[in-house]
Amino acid sequence: MDELRLTVNGENRTAAPGTTVSALLAGMGVDPARVAVERNQDVVPRKTWTDATLADGDRIEIVAFIGGGSGGGSAAGAATPDDDLLVIGGLKFKSRLLVGTGKYRTLEEGREAIRLSGAEIVTVALRRVDLTPGKPNVLDTIDRKRQTILPNTAGCYTAEEAIRTCRLARELGIADLVKLEVIGDERTLFPDGQATLEAARVLVKEGFTVLPYCLDDPILARKLEDAGCAAVMPLAAPIGSGLGIRNPYNLRIILEHAKVPIIVDAGVGTASDAAVAMELGCAGVLMNTAIAGARDPLMMAEAMRDAVIAGRRAFRAGRIPRKLYATASSPIDGLID
């Protein structure tokens, strides 16, 4: 055979017999440090690339992280007591705001918004590599000394797709902390609870620290916790809707029984929404569109940072009971006759 016929990221390509994965990447000008490779739906371990010889008919996927939403330094001015850290799977964080990296107008704007938010956990999605040499990468917006990357499975519609994505993320050299997202409906982007639970069980057994995105369903939340998830992330409202918390009562039920952190994910629109989530007792809030889609994303990043801090402090301080009638603030003794 004079040449191999390959399919690379959905495109037909040819290569010389004996071509290895390393040689294929080099020939396309792909930076091997920033990608993971899958052959015929099986991950190709990085350490085998120089010896992994391709065969005629192989289907190759070359993937990298891109901007996506739905530990290190803390937020500016956000002194967090050591007894009130966010703990997920043994990892400790001062900031309780998690942010995405998608939808910003430029990588520079995204980088600055992330910095101003004070977030220490930043989500990224996994997609096929754009084979244009030298194209900027979303990882350039993330300070790896200050921020922990949280790969997510956004865009996956089956448990199998989500599991494959997490395995590829692990091959990219990112830690085992993953946000699990299995979409059940293309229009609403509501998650498929059964598929999410199925994928969570597999990933937990494979040693991943799993943070599943789910509906605000107390029964499903309990099942995900029982499956070994390190946190549970119920939505406040549909992804990107900005509607805020639509059902605080379900969240209160979930919080009442949970033994792992509950992090509101999706639907936050403005700072007051984030504060309400924290005042309910949620451990954190994850958002992307609410910041990236704001008229001034940098100012909104600061507002969200402050709202999460204020909401957490209000929760710890304990609000006064709600009453139907007034209660005087000033003493009534000693009034002038």
Side-chain angles (χ1 to χ4, degrees):
M1 180 179 294
D2 295 331
E3 58 183 17
L4 303 177
R5 292 163 296 179
L6 308 173
T7 303
V8 181
N9 286 5
E11 298 178 0
N12 294 327
R13 286 180 175 263
T14 59
T19 297
T20 64
V21 170
S22 290
L24 178 68
L25 296 177
M28 294 188 297
V30 174
D31 182 356
R34 294 195 169 193
V35 299
V37 178
E38 188 182 68
R39 177 172 58 182
N40 304 326
Q41 297 195 2
D42 289 325
V43 174
V44 183
R46 185 178 301 273
K47 62 184 179 181
T48 69
W49 285 0
T50 56
D51 300 317
T53 304
L54 301 177
D56 188 55
D58 277 350
R59 300 184 64 86
I60 307 297
E61 294 288 346
I62 305 171
V63 299
F65 291 123
I66 66 166
S70 129
S74 62
T80 303
D82 290 338
D83 64 345
D84 191 41
L85 300 177
L86 172 61
V87 181
I88 301 176
L91 301 174
K92 297 180 180 180
F93 305 94
K94 291 184 178 180
S95 174
R96 293 175 178 272
L97 175 59
L98 295 70
V99 298
T101 48
K103 300 186 178 181
Y104 289 102
R105 290 180 283 266
T106 64
L107 289 179
E108 291 72 20
E109 181 181 70
R111 182 188 300 111
E112 183 64 6
I114 292 168
R115 186 188 71 81
L116 291 172
S117 75
E120 297 172 290
I121 301 177
V122 182
T123 68
V124 292
L126 194 70
R127 292 291 185 274
R128 284 174 170 171
V129 166
D130 185 332
L131 297 177
T132 305
K135 187 166 183 178
N137 187 285
V138 72
L139 294 183
D140 297 331
T141 69
I142 300 172
D143 183 348
R144 298 290 295 276
K145 294 181 180 179
R146 295 173 56 88
Q147 292 144 357
T148 293
I149 294 177
L150 177 63
N152 73 23
T153 62
C156 293
Y157 283 80
T158 67
E160 292 75 17
E161 289 177 354
I163 293 166
R164 281 178 62 195
T165 299
C166 289
R167 288 170 178 165
L168 282 165
R170 173 182 273 172
E171 181 60 25
L172 271 163
I174 305 301
D176 295 325
L177 187 70
V178 294
K179 176 189 170 184
L180 174 61
E181 185 174 320
V182 184
I183 300 301
D185 178 70
E186 189 173 355
R187 183 179 181 187
T188 65
L189 298 182
F190 282 149
D192 182 327
Q194 183 58 40
T196 300
L197 182 59
E198 178 185 339
R201 286 170 172 159
V202 172
L203 292 169
V204 168
K205 287 181 180 179
E206 293 187 6
F208 286 93
T209 302
V210 181
L211 283 62
Y213 162 67
C214 62
L215 293 171
D216 54 352
D217 177 351
I219 305 303
L220 178 58
R222 189 182 310 165
K223 289 181 178 180
L224 289 166
E225 181 177 339
D226 290 343
C229 293
V232 177
M233 306 176 75
L235 54 74
I239 292 174
S241 68
L243 290 172
I245 296 174
R246 295 295 85 200
N247 195 340
Y249 306 104
N250 271 17
L251 288 178
R252 287 174 60 183
I253 294 171
I254 292 171
L255 288 162
E256 183 179 341
H257 297 284
K259 295 182 177 62
V260 298
I262 301 301
I263 299 171
V264 163
D265 180 11
V268 169
T270 191
S272 59
D273 299 331
V276 168
M278 299 306 296
E279 288 171 3
L280 285 170
C282 294
V285 182
L286 191 156
M287 65 184 73
N288 186 184
T289 306
I291 296 176
R295 186 171 62 249
D296 186 334
L298 304 187
M299 188 179 294
M300 185 61 80
E302 293 179 307
M304 292 299 189
R305 176 196 68 198
D306 295 343
V308 168
I309 293 168
R312 178 64 180 177
R313 287 178 176 170
F315 170 74
R316 296 189 79 201
R319 65 158 294 137
I320 64 171
R322 291 180 172 87
K323 298 179 181 178
L324 183 60
Y325 296 104
T327 301
S329 304
S330 302
I332 59 174
D333 297 334
L335 291 175
I336 300 173
D337 294 330

